[in-house]
Amino acid sequence: MVRNVRGTELDSAIRPVIASGNDYPHDYEIAPHHHARGQLLHGVPGVMTVRTEHGAWVVPPDQAVWIPPQIEHSVRMMGEVETRCVFVDPAHVDGLPEKCQVLSVSPLMRALIQAAVDLPLDYALTGREGEIMALLLSELRALPVLPLSLPFPADQRLAERCQTFLAKPAAHQTIDDWADSLGMSRRTFTRHFKRECGLSFAAWQRQACLFAALPRLAEGEAVTTIALDLGYDSPAAFTTMFRKTLGFPPSRYLTAAAA
């Protein structure tokens, strides 16, 4: 496996798509940095959180996050994580998201990534090696987006309020609570929040609660404890939100995290 590829090696690589792998301990944080290439960051197992100035993304076990070229980002590991990274030259990112996105990794893509990290940086462009990387890039463009982004507003006061909420999410907080704390009418706050974050307050609040819950689920905490800590009336209410957002219940996520 190609491991611990340095930035200088990335910059000097001549292949349009390259891959590498690294192992990280629990709670390890990669300081803010950027790449000239686009990066698909895939982790098995464990959970990763990726932050930029524009928002945050939580990456469940065995899924991935796409980070476009030149986007400064930091990464935090929740649990021991084996990363598999695919780096795409800017000339080949057409058809890929222009913003950071969490992507659902298909079984085919998973196998292609595993095969790619076993190839040298100067792999042959023809034959099996070149075909693997060409298919990987094609499959990457087809991966569906998971709703696991949490955009941050540019407005400083609202951003501070969002950060405070993210530090201790509470599902029972209302639009009126936030509007009052910012000295706005309900109508003005609703318009302002949607304009700044690109989604409604209710949708953002659900995402923030989910963002806080996933790392705790990955660490084995009980669904009931997490649901009540987040302010849900019952574990069933939390499970309903979780299923509507991700398409499966927390129990399935726990199974995947433990795999």
Side-chain angles (χ1 to χ4, degrees):
M1 178 186 297
V2 178
R3 289 184 176 272
N4 301 312
V5 175
R6 293 182 173 86
T8 53
E9 294 176 278
L10 285 176
D11 292 340
S12 61
I14 59 175
R15 299 295 184 251
V17 184
I18 57 177
S20 68
N22 294 280
D23 298 340
Y24 296 99
H26 169 62
D27 212 31
Y28 187 88
E29 185 159 356
I30 302 174
H33 64 288
H34 68 273
H35 306 287
R37 292 173 176 248
Q39 179 186 19
L40 182 74
L41 177 59
H42 173 58
V44 288
V47 173
M48 298 178 289
T49 55
V50 175
R51 290 178 180 268
T52 75
E53 64 175 326
H54 302 295
W57 294 261
V58 60
V59 189
D62 222 16
Q63 305 304 333
V65 61
W66 168 252
I67 305 167
Q70 303 295 349
I71 298 295
E72 185 168 275
H73 59 282
S74 63
V75 185
R76 184 185 176 197
M77 312 299 170
M78 305 295 292
E80 295 182 357
V81 182
E82 298 175 15
T83 64
R84 307 286 184 268
C85 295
V86 176
F87 297 96
V88 183
D89 186 273
H92 296 266
V93 299
D94 289 348
L96 292 168
E98 296 180 359
K99 299 179 180 179
C100 292
Q101 297 280 13
V102 177
L103 304 178
S104 179
V105 178
S106 65
L108 173 58
M109 187 63 175
R110 198 169 297 128
L112 289 168
I113 293 173
Q114 184 59 51
V117 297
D118 288 331
L119 300 180
L121 290 180
D122 58 348
Y123 60 85
L125 290 174
T126 58
R128 176 181 179 272
E129 294 181 353
E131 289 170 357
I132 286 173
M133 300 308 265
L135 181 57
L136 185 153
L137 185 57
S138 178
E139 183 69 4
L140 173 55
R141 293 190 175 107
L143 296 182
V145 173
L146 290 174
L148 292 173
S149 65
L150 196 67
F152 293 154
D155 180 271
Q156 184 175 353
R157 290 182 63 219
L158 184 55
E160 290 174 355
R161 186 69 177 83
C162 289
Q163 291 283 11
T164 299
F165 182 87
L166 187 58
K168 190 173 178 57
H172 55 74
Q173 289 187 14
T174 66
I175 289 176
D176 291 330
D177 294 331
W178 281 53
D180 290 345
S181 70
L182 294 170
M184 298 180 180
S185 68
R186 179 188 178 94
R187 184 176 180 182
T188 298
F189 171 81
T190 299
R191 286 201 311 268
H192 184 61
F193 194 97
K194 181 67 177 291
R195 183 173 62 250
E196 286 283 323
C197 292
L199 69 168
S200 69
F201 171 76
W204 189 94
Q205 184 182 51
R206 286 194 299 271
Q207 292 289 80
C209 288
L210 191 65
F211 189 93
L214 287 177
R216 296 177 63 179
L217 285 168
E219 292 179 344
E221 286 195 51
V223 172
T224 297
T225 301
I226 296 171
L228 297 180
D229 281 353
L230 293 176
Y232 285 89
D233 293 333
S234 66
F238 171 75
T239 297
T240 297
M241 179 278 294
F242 195 103
R243 187 191 294 272
K244 285 183 176 179
T245 304
L246 292 184
F248 52 84
S251 57
R252 180 176 156 190
Y253 182 84
L254 283 165
T255 301

